[in-house]
Amino acid sequence: KYPPGSKEFGVGLVTALREAFRLFEIDQGSVFKPLGLLLPPLAPALRWVLQWLPDKGRQQETKAWTAVISATKALSSSWRAAQTAKGSEQSKVCGISGSSFLAMTLSGKTLEAGEALNETEFIGQVYTLLMAGYETTSTTLSASLLLLSNNPAVQARVHDEIDRLLCGKAPTQEDL
């Protein structure tokens, strides 16, 4: 809908990712998700049910991930076309920094054949990166907050340091 690298494209991608991650939660999305986790032997049958008789939650999940995949395909296609047309000496193409993980993945080679990743492989790598980043970040933040809540002395030191560094002002992105 919007060209990759534009603000609107980024907003659309973030919106789709938020919806996909919201539906990833156990109490969101398909009603069959908790059943598959509680009764693993039923997982193959539940996958079949979700594929052929999707409930509303599964339809929402599919819609959200389809939006993410479409945006990833558009980004990949635009980046590759720009690289071909302008060469790889540019520092930024389609909003992607030449030194970023995404640029390295797009220009990377497979170990087996030494060829560039195809679109399906690239989408798989992006999905893995997104899921790994989501899960590790949420787990780390949760564990950190739990540890802080159980240790008032450390919590007070953290508050004091924040107050000292920010001098009473609200934190900005640069402060983080």
Side-chain angles (χ1 to χ4, degrees), residues 20-87:
F21 286 131
R22 182 186 70 77
L23 293 166
F24 187 68
E25 299 297 325
I26 191 71
D27 61 340
Q28 302 294 320
S30 174
V31 295
F32 296 108
K33 191 184 302 181
L35 282 174
L37 294 171
L38 293 171
L39 303 166
L42 291 180
L46 293 174
R47 278 194 294 274
W48 183 90
V49 168
L50 286 172
Q51 180 178 354
W52 297 104
L53 303 168
D55 62 353
K56 183 180 177 184
R58 179 58 173 197
Q59 291 170 356
Q60 291 174 330
E61 290 172 3
T62 300
K63 181 180 176 187
W65 282 110
T66 298
V68 172
I69 290 168
S70 294
T72 305
K73 285 180 180 180
L75 189 61
S76 170
S77 297
S78 295
W79 189 86
R80 291 176 199 268
Q83 284 294 100
T84 301
K86 298 179 182 177

Side-chain angles (χ1 to χ4, degrees), residues 166 169-176:
L166 294 178
K169 67 179 176 99
T172 63
Q173 188 171 358
E174 290 78 31
D175 293 326
L176 298 176

